[in-house]
Amino acid sequence: MSETAKELKEKLFYNKKNGLLKVDDATYEKAVDYCEGYKSFLNSAKTEREAVKTAVKMAEAKGFAPFDRNKSYKAGDKVYFNNRGKTIALVVFGKEKAENGVNITAAHIDSPRLDLKPNPLYEEVDLALFKTHYYGGIRKYQWTAVPLALHGVFVKRDGTVVNVSIGENDDEPCFVVNDLLPHLASEQSKRTLADGIKGEELNILVGSRPFKDDEGSELVKLGILKILFEKYGVTEEDFLSAELEAVPAAKARDLGFDRSLVGSYGQDDRVCAYPALTAVLDVKEPEKTAIAILTDKEEIGSDGNTGLNSDFLSHVVHDICLTDGSDETVALRHSKCLSADVNAGLDPTFQDPFEKRNASLLNYGVVVTKYTGARGKSGTSDASAEYVGLIRAMLDKAGIVWQTGELGKVDIGGGGTVAMYIANLGVDVVDLGVPVLSMHAPFETTAKLDVYMCYRAMYEFMK
Ligand code: MN
Ligand code: MN
């Protein structure tokens, strides 16, 4: 007996293959259908607050109710913990005690954007503008000359919360950060790309019509404040206790002649949050308690009481343990987690910063990322081979298309996710998510098959 090279290769080589060549048409159609829901989620959840509101609505429609410490729960019962309207944990109680471990999926629902400063409104050369402080890692030059919408809240002195969403609908005005014309940009063009637009130049144009009066200065600013007072009942001082976020004013779209891709703002990380959410909503009566957590603050380092570097998750586990007399420490020690965040897909035009043999590719399925971090794996939890092996077996057994990924070349790459904060609680964690092109840009690209495979992985893990 002598095997041919072809036979031997089939036996020994890791055969990486485009997922669209692996799945049948019916599976692809399921992915396409699934992404219709995904696109509506993107459009109705452009900020963390809106994502939590949307998640609560979807969850309550499926029988979830706010957690109640005084109630007793049995397998299949569904609850949620709403943390200040910005982070949410959705739980389906399992048949086993929490002490045996729970299965956690975690994704983030905040995305890079331009936040208004506490004192944003000013007038310059007869135009009214907002000062901003960008949130998360953006490439500043990408945020000029694109239509923006404004989302968020004013909290008035008496505690009244005024919701704001303006710029998304065709009959609403939008906003913009202006840039210099090429004719006059010769000096600006000598700046490095990183400084092409500086933080203090990300000023949003919000109006130009002066309040009609012969007297006084700042009449354009006054005209804007008059509109804000009429529309929202707020004065300039109310900006001091507001959270207003400027995001791209475009809707999620199919992308490409073949419609195989999704283009949208905020896919990092709603492309994993939506699969985690829909998966936990589909879980019936799991062996182990299933928790999907959609978190705020990941893009600025996960700190704060709505970030995953807080005790929120361990408090959720603690509360669940109270219901069946489990010990929280033991529960955490036996728990498992998929940290669901995006990976950088190999960009056909900018391949250089990637290490091609380990980069993730669009349409090759959901990406398992053993470690993130930067230069020498600094700042990562680096999942164990044992745990990666377990997830690998789960994915293969369920016929889920998946691949591995890394965040660029060793000395170039880097990035962080919430994985390490959950791992630090003593939980087994690995990153699993969707490859994205143009991550953190106003318009990011993903592939429908990968989004659907992410859902399938989340469901398989929690079911
Ligand atoms: Mn992310
Ligand atoms: Mn990100």
Side-chain angles (χ1 to χ4, degrees):
M1 68 133 233
S2 67
E3 287 167 303
T4 64
K6 186 169 175 277
E7 287 163 346
L8 205 54
K9 275 184 181 172
E10 258 164 41
K11 191 162 111 189
L12 300 179
F13 275 21
Y14 165 44
N15 183 21
K16 212 174 162 181
K17 195 176 169 185
N18 188 318
L20 293 176
L21 299 174
K22 280 184 177 173
V23 301
D24 55 24
D25 289 351
T27 304
Y28 179 69
E29 286 312 317
K30 275 186 195 164
V32 170
D33 280 352
Y34 181 76
C35 284
E36 289 304 306
Y38 171 49
K39 284 182 290 176
S40 357
F41 180 76
L42 285 168
N43 293 337
S44 65
K46 294 189 86 161
T47 64
E48 60 285 344
R49 285 176 192 271
E50 291 175 359
V52 167
K53 269 189 194 158
T54 308
V56 166
K57 214 164 139 191
M58 289 167 69
E60 287 185 342
K62 289 263 193 157
F64 283 73
F67 176 75
D68 180 350
R69 271 193 169 199
N70 301 316
K71 267 182 89 169
S72 57
Y73 292 100
K74 58 177 193 314
D77 283 348
K78 300 162 174 205
V79 299
Y80 65 84
F81 298 73
N82 184 341
N83 183 2
R84 297 169 171 81
K86 294 182 174 192
T87 288
I88 185 169
L90 301 118
V91 180
V92 181
F93 284 90
K95 292 176 198 156
E96 294 180 26
K97 283 188 79 175
E99 239 164 44
N100 292 351
V102 298
N103 290 329
I104 304 161
T105 58
H108 67 92
I109 46 177
D110 60 322
S111 295
R113 60 184 189 242
L114 306 180
D115 284 350
L116 297 201
K117 293 193 183 192
N119 196 6
L121 182 61
Y122 70 102
E123 177 175 335
E124 194 72 47
V125 297
D126 286 25
L127 296 171
L129 299 108
F130 279 156
K131 292 298 295 178
T132 68
H133 192 139
Y134 59 91
Y135 174 99
I138 61 165
R139 308 195 71 194
K140 297 187 275 286
Y141 71 89
Q142 294 177 338
W143 290 72
T144 65
V146 293
L148 299 172
L150 208 60
H151 296 246
V153 293
F154 285 102
V155 178
K156 298 209 279 186
R157 198 182 267 108
D158 66 359
T160 319
V161 178
V162 183
N163 285 297
V164 175
S165 171
I166 181 163
E168 297 293 350
N169 299 323
D170 290 343
D171 60 349
E172 292 170 354
C174 64
F175 310 93
V176 75
V177 173
N178 291 104
D179 197 359
L180 207 48
L181 62 167
H183 319 64
L184 297 181
S186 59
E187 283 306 313
Q188 185 198 26
S189 298
K190 288 177 195 157
R191 298 182 187 175
T192 61
L193 198 52
D195 274 333
I197 294 290
K198 296 175 184 174
E200 294 296 350
E201 293 168 344
L202 289 169
N203 302 319
I204 301 175
L205 181 62
V206 298
S208 72
R209 191 177 178 194
F211 176 74
K212 267 221 171 119
D213 199 325
D214 301 334
E215 298 286 312
S217 58
E218 299 191 290
L219 294 178
V220 179
K221 174 175 164 177
L222 182 62
I224 298 301
L225 283 171
K226 184 167 178 282
I227 293 169
L228 292 177
F229 186 71
E230 285 163 3
K231 195 170 162 65
Y232 303 110
V234 296
T235 66
E236 188 177 16
E237 221 178 328
D238 289 318
F239 279 104
L240 301 179
S241 52
E243 279 178 348
L244 295 162
E245 308 172 359
V247 299
K251 291 218 174 353
R253 307 273 299 267
D254 284 346
L255 202 154
F257 284 115
D258 56 15
R259 295 177 167 256
S260 59
L261 306 159
V262 175
S264 172
Y265 164 71
Q267 298 203 70
D268 173 9
D269 186 31
R270 292 177 193 108
V271 73
C272 300
Y274 182 71
L277 171 63
T278 48
V280 80
L281 298 190
D282 286 346
V283 167
K284 298 282 178 286
E285 213 175 287
E287 292 300 318
K288 292 185 195 297
T289 294
I291 304 177
I293 178 159
L294 312 182
T295 188
D296 182 28
K297 296 278 186 281
E298 193 278 340
E299 294 295 357
I300 56 167
S302 295
D303 289 317
N305 60 7
T306 54
L308 264 199
N309 198 11
S310 74
D311 284 338
F312 174 62
L313 176 57
S314 64
H315 291 169
V316 166
V317 173
H318 176 84
D319 278 357
I320 290 167
C321 286
L322 286 180
T323 67
D324 68 6
S326 283
D327 182 90
E328 180 203 341
T329 312
V330 179
L332 284 168
R333 194 175 292 149
H334 292 152
S335 291
K336 295 182 173 60
C337 173
L338 292 179
S339 160
D341 208 342
V342 295
N343 195 298
L346 181 60
D347 188 304
T349 308
F350 301 102
Q351 297 189 32
D352 200 49
F354 294 88
E355 192 272 281
K356 274 169 95 166
R357 287 174 185 82
N358 284 284
S360 62
L361 293 162
L362 262 64
N363 284 318
Y364 277 62
V366 68
V367 190
V368 174
T369 307
K370 187 176 181 295
Y371 51 85
T372 55
R375 284 163 286 277
K377 296 192 180 180
S378 161
T380 177
S381 46
D382 198 358
S384 70
E386 287 84 351
Y387 187 54
V388 175
L390 198 90
I391 297 303
R392 172 188 167 200
M394 176 198 85
L395 296 169
D396 283 341
K397 194 171 160 228
I400 293 165
V401 183
W402 70 283
Q403 58 182 325
T404 58
E406 227 192 358
L407 272 174
K409 281 181 177 162
V410 175
D411 288 332
I412 292 176
T417 66
V418 299
M420 61 177 167
Y421 304 114
I422 301 171
N424 289 346
L425 297 173
V427 175
D428 268 316
V429 189
V430 71
D431 276 298
L432 180 142
V434 175
V436 179
L437 301 184
S438 304
M439 195 195 296
H440 288 200
F443 196 72
E444 304 170 309
T445 301
T446 58
K448 289 182 179 176
L449 183 73
D450 302 332
V451 184
Y452 178 59
M453 289 300 159
C454 185
Y455 160 78
R456 289 212 42 213
M458 297 290 140
Y459 179 71
E460 202 60 33
F461 182 74
M462 291 188 289
K463 75 167 193 213

